[in-house]
Amino acid sequence: MEHSNSMTHKNGRQRKIAGTTLFSDNIRGMDRGETSASEPEVEEEEEGDGLIQVMHTQDRRHRVRPGIRGELGNVLLLLFLYVLQGIPLGLAGSIPLILQSKSISYKDQAFFSFVFWPFSLKLLWAPLVDALYFSRFGRRKSWLVPTQYLLGLFMLYLSGTVNSLMQSEGGPKVVTLTAVFFMLAFLAATQDIAVDGWALTMLSRENVGYASTCNSVGQTAGYFLGNVLFLALESADFCNKYLRVEPKDTGIVTLSEFLFFWGIVFLVSTTLVAIMKSENEQGKGKPRVQEETQGVMETYKLLFSIIKMPTVFTFCSLLLTAKIGFSAADAVTGLKLVEAGVPKEQLALLAVPMVPLQILLPVIISKYTAGPRPLDVFYKAFPFRLLIGLGYALLVWWTPSVKHDGGFPLYYYAIVLLSYALHQVALYSMYVACMAFHAKVSDPLIGGTYMTLLNTVTNLGGNWPSTLALWMVDPLTSKECQGAVGQSCGSVEEVGLCVKEGGACVTTLDGYYVESVVCVVIGLVWWVWFGKKMRRLQEQKPAAWRCKANR
């Protein structure tokens, strides 16, 4: 790679991503925080020498506006690229549910959860993606093409080995699965940086707002295909019940076949993009655009100078700890329901009715966060979300008593759906409020970098407590060996000895319930002591949030 001086670069924006279960607190596929940030960012810079500068010198009164029809091909290409991005994320989100049905430990689940960290950390390498490229091949294609080729090759490799990794004699090979899917997520995050940057120059100034729509719709569709649709088609029970006349022992597609298909799609589509699509094409009536830039080191120095600001440092510290109280409910509940016998494909399908709610909630909540004190909504929703976490624990406790030979009754799924809907209301109230505050305090002269940093910290503040919550389930769980005198169940070896002696390990105290109570207590303490401190940050003068290093 080379750093071309003939072109300039934009700071890559980090989104979120990803959760592992139905109850995850991450806004899957939508990346709303960054998307909502991108539009104001463009609007601000429309007034000055901002991110995109119009270099066209013709009289604007006589310039033909391209309209969406004239750029429909570019919009569809962006949409397709974001769909591809959502596929590996959706697959990664389905693996924990599959592993849970194979009775792996929660420590293994915690280890696999690192797969979802790259989208929360891509700020670390986004400046490199923006600055290093082959100018002849194209600034964004220099990263887009190789990353998508690698994604396709990883999927093809995984299609041939995933069965052995999932069904080995000693149980699923979690370490290898984590390594491979981590690389998939890392490549998808890198592709996201490249596509975000390309969107700003691929579309004309008049239509650049469609980029966020492509992102939201595309990533959501990709995640749906890789998660909900895959889990449904992979399930023998679902296919036999709804899609087949004659029942079979397997689903319509296997994980191996699904990976192989999308691996081929990645390779073919990337080849077509590399050959047929060039960057900065000039259509009729489309003004030439150029991106403003900072060097790689300047960007890292700027990030460091923002973090050093007292108000920002305090706010980031609060963001990193705010979600501890929700970690058990968000990270473990879905896996516990699968462990209790709820079909994983049914849990995935329950996310479908939530899509209209997830679309409407930000619109409704934004009316209450548009004022000068958006974090008031965050503060008020906090205790309700904690109570919903306790409700999840009761739901898990109640689930085994509802199960019968044919599965679960319809009213049970209705209660699960209602619980999930209430969780979404509390989640989005906090999320939209937080994003509104980010937009309010971000220094407009460095809005992209500023917003990216705050969104990164927000996402990271959800990832590390979830991983820790998964890790602590097993140590907090107590089991005893019944039916074999003198045996215990403290380790895998001891469990084997208990079974060998004719006994059975029975859970006497589930660590999930311990975590649920402890997390709620921690959350209440945070709300009382630190929640008020976060609200007081709204009283800081605008100057307290301005970065002096940029003046």
Side-chain angles (χ1 to χ4, degrees):
M1 292 269 184
E2 65 181 15
H3 183 192
S4 173
N5 293 322
S6 62
M7 298 181 67
T8 55
H9 93 274
K10 165 195 161 300
N11 297 326
R13 292 164 300 166
Q14 183 271 342
R15 288 182 168 78
K16 69 136 189 213
I17 213 91
T20 62
T21 71
L22 176 70
F23 300 95
S24 171
D25 69 332
N26 291 309
I27 314 300
R28 261 199 270 284
M30 304 297 280
D31 292 344
R32 298 179 193 271
E34 296 266 344
T35 307
S36 62
S38 64
E39 293 180 12
E41 183 180 331
V42 173
E43 290 172 3
E44 288 171 353
E45 279 140 2
E46 211 170 299
E47 299 175 3
D49 299 331
L51 184 63
I52 302 177
Q53 302 230 351
V54 179
M55 304 301 292
H56 200 59
T57 56
Q58 294 181 1
D59 188 348
R60 293 192 179 195
R61 292 174 299 175
H62 298 91
R63 191 180 64 198
V64 179
R65 294 174 65 88
I68 187 61
R69 291 185 180 180
E71 294 190 289
L72 187 59
N74 286 339
V75 170
L76 292 177
L77 175 59
L78 280 177
L79 183 65
F80 178 70
L81 292 175
Y82 282 120
V83 169
L84 290 182
Q85 184 185 122
I87 296 295
L89 301 180
L91 278 171
S94 68
I95 296 300
L97 297 177
I98 296 175
L99 292 175
Q100 192 65 16
S101 64
K102 297 180 181 296
S103 302
I104 70 166
S105 70
Y106 281 92
K107 285 188 177 181
D108 286 336
Q109 289 281 15
F111 190 77
F112 188 84
S113 70
F114 284 107
V115 165
F116 306 102
W117 285 51
F119 265 79
S120 296
L121 297 174
K122 65 181 182 179
L123 175 65
L124 298 177
W125 67 91
L128 297 176
V129 175
D130 284 327
L132 305 176
Y133 55 92
F134 295 108
S135 55
R136 290 186 179 181
F137 187 56
R139 178 176 182 177
R140 306 304 175 184
K141 287 172 63 178
S142 294
W143 289 91
L144 179 73
V145 171
T147 53
Q148 289 199 168
Y149 270 133
L150 287 173
L151 277 165
L153 292 173
F154 264 102
M155 287 185 173
L156 291 180
Y157 162 76
L158 201 55
S159 69
T161 60
V162 71
N163 289 334
S164 61
L165 294 176
M166 298 288 283
Q167 301 172 3
S168 61
E169 293 182 2
K173 297 181 179 179
V174 176
V175 175
T176 306
L177 284 170
T178 302
V180 175
F181 276 95
F182 184 91
M183 282 304 303
L184 285 176
F186 174 81
L187 291 169
T190 305
Q191 188 252 30
D192 182 51
I193 299 168
V195 176
D196 282 349
W198 198 2
L200 296 175
T201 54
M202 185 185 296
L203 299 179
S204 66
R205 189 173 184 80
E206 291 82 357
N207 293 323
V208 73
Y210 285 100
S212 61
T213 304
C214 292
N215 181 298
S216 299
V217 176
Q219 268 198 359
T220 301
Y223 194 96
F224 179 88
L225 292 173
N227 187 274
V228 178
L229 183 64
F230 164 69
L231 286 174
L233 296 180
E234 187 263 349
S235 169
D237 292 337
F238 181 87
C239 294
N240 292 337
K241 187 175 182 180
Y242 298 105
L243 303 177
R244 284 181 176 144
V245 177
E246 297 182 3
K248 295 184 179 179
D249 296 332
T250 60
I252 292 178
V253 298
T254 64
L255 179 57
S256 177
E257 293 169 345
F258 195 83
L259 285 164
F260 182 83
F261 171 79
W262 284 106
I264 295 297
V265 171
F266 265 90
L267 295 180
V268 173
S269 60
T270 304
T271 301
L272 293 175
V273 170
I275 296 174
M276 303 179 64
K277 180 66 177 177
S278 60
E279 292 190 31
N280 298 320
E281 293 177 329
Q282 303 302 314
K284 184 177 180 180
K286 178 177 176 180
R288 183 180 180 183
V289 296
Q290 185 179 15
E291 297 175 89
E292 192 179 353
T293 186
Q294 289 178 329
V296 177
M297 293 307 299
E298 286 78 4
T299 300
Y300 285 121
K301 289 178 181 178
L302 179 59
L303 288 171
F304 184 67
S305 64
I306 295 172
I307 294 173
K308 287 194 303 181
M309 296 165 57
T311 50
V312 175
F313 184 82
T314 300
F315 186 51
C316 288
S317 300
L318 294 172
L319 290 175
L320 285 173
T321 55
K323 295 181 181 178
I324 296 176
F326 317 125
S327 57
D330 292 342
V332 188
T333 300
L335 300 178
K336 278 294 177 182
L337 290 178
V338 173
E339 183 181 320
V342 181
K344 58 184 181 297
E345 65 276 6
Q346 295 292 348
L347 275 182
L349 287 170
L350 286 178
V352 177
M354 289 295 101
V355 173
L357 182 64
Q358 291 170 339
I359 294 173
L360 292 174
L361 277 176
V363 178
I364 297 172
I365 296 168
S366 62
K367 296 179 180 179
Y368 301 95
T369 59
R373 300 183 63 87
L375 291 182
D376 287 353
V377 176
F378 180 97
Y379 182 80
K380 292 176 182 177
F382 198 98
F384 289 100
R385 190 169 169 189
L386 290 175
L387 291 176
I388 292 170
L390 287 179
Y392 278 173
L394 290 174
L395 179 66
V396 172
W397 174 81
W398 178 59
T399 296
S401 63
V402 183
K403 187 179 181 181
H404 53 72
D405 294 339
F408 292 87
L410 185 60
Y411 71 83
Y412 171 79
Y413 288 112
I415 293 174
V416 174
L417 190 62
L418 177 62
S419 302
Y420 185 34
L422 292 174
H423 177 263
Q424 291 294 291
V425 173
L427 186 156
Y428 272 85
S429 296
M430 294 177 60
Y431 190 83
V432 174
C434 204
M435 293 302 104
F437 187 69
H438 291 182
K440 178 178 177 290
V441 302
S442 293
D443 190 333
L445 294 183
I446 48 174
T449 302
Y450 211 124
M451 285 288 292
T452 298
L453 173 63
L454 295 180
N455 291 337
T456 298
V457 174
T458 301
N459 294 328
L460 189 59
N463 278 339
W464 79 261
S466 295
T467 298
L468 182 62
L470 288 166
W471 192 274
M472 292 301 297
V473 172
D474 287 336
L476 293 174
T477 298
S478 298
K479 294 182 179 182
E480 64 179 24
C481 181
Q482 296 182 356
V485 180
Q487 300 298 327
S488 60
C489 300
S491 64
V492 177
E493 293 76 13
E494 291 175 344
V495 170
L497 289 173
C498 174
V499 175
K500 187 177 180 181
E501 294 293 326
C505 286
V506 178
T507 300
T508 55
L509 179 63
D510 195 324
Y512 167 68
Y513 301 119
V514 178
E515 275 193 0
S516 296
V517 175
V518 171
C519 284
V520 169
V521 171
I522 293 175
L524 286 174
V525 171
W526 190 97
W527 182 62
V528 171
W529 291 96
F530 298 106
K532 294 179 180 179
K533 189 171 185 177
M534 178 176 276
R535 291 181 72 184
R536 286 196 295 269
L537 287 175
Q538 299 174 117
E539 301 168 3
Q540 294 286 338
K541 295 180 179 179
W545 300 93
R546 298 294 182 256
C547 182
K548 296 180 181 179
N550 195 54
R551 295 300 187 270

